[in-house]
Amino acid sequence: MTAIQDTAERPRGTRLPRSARRNQLLGAAQEVFVAQGYHAAAMDDIAERAGVSKPVLYQHFPGKLELYLALLDKHCDALVDAIRDALESTTVNKNRVLATTEAYFAYVASESGAFRLVFESDLTNEEAVRERVERVTRDTATLVSKVIAEDTDLPEEEAMLLAVGVCGLCQITARFWLAQDGTIPQDEAVRLVSSLSWRGLKGFPMHGGDSAH
């Protein structure tokens, strides 16, 4: 049973441990925010979706913004963790590019639609939201840039610029692919985009003279 199913099926008034209740509320809020956006969503909608009263919702989150930021933190951290795991899954750079691309596509393709909170938020005029979106861009690129710098000896600034390009390519193409209703199979889309990234990156001399390592 998914978290969203759990929020839909749990009867109003069921007592839960505080941490479980918080997760339940986050699951309900995520579904509402993804479907409606921040501005159109109401705390009434979230409470109803979670099967709780508004006072219970406010016991955990003092307002809609705090609830939204909690979700944003959760899903920004999830993407950073996914990119870290992808980079650590192999020492072969071509496969690192493939794994990183796969991680972005999997994140965007998730049924939860949580990527919309991060990359398609209607609240980027809010400084706290903008800071988090900028942080996830910076943190994922930093992970990639460290690998590029270590294997090419490029200056830190140049490695970071390339890393931002790689991450941006993955993120934007994954969202475009999803918007096309997956007319290209996901694994084929990943292969195409990772091939494009790797063709660019392998042009930089790697240690040992093996650009395909």
Side-chain angles (χ1 to χ4, degrees), residues 100-113:
T100 298
T101 308
E102 287 176 334
Y104 272 99
F105 272 75
Y107 183 78
V108 169
S110 172
E111 291 184 4
S112 72

Side-chain angles (χ1 to χ4, degrees), residues 79-106:
L79 179 57
V80 173
D81 290 343
I83 300 308
R84 181 182 294 108
D85 291 344
L87 292 169
E88 293 177 352
S89 67
T90 178
T91 58
V92 178
N93 286 321
K94 182 177 181 180
N95 294 342
R96 280 172 169 161
V97 173
L98 177 63
T100 298
T101 308
E102 287 176 334
Y104 272 99
F105 272 75

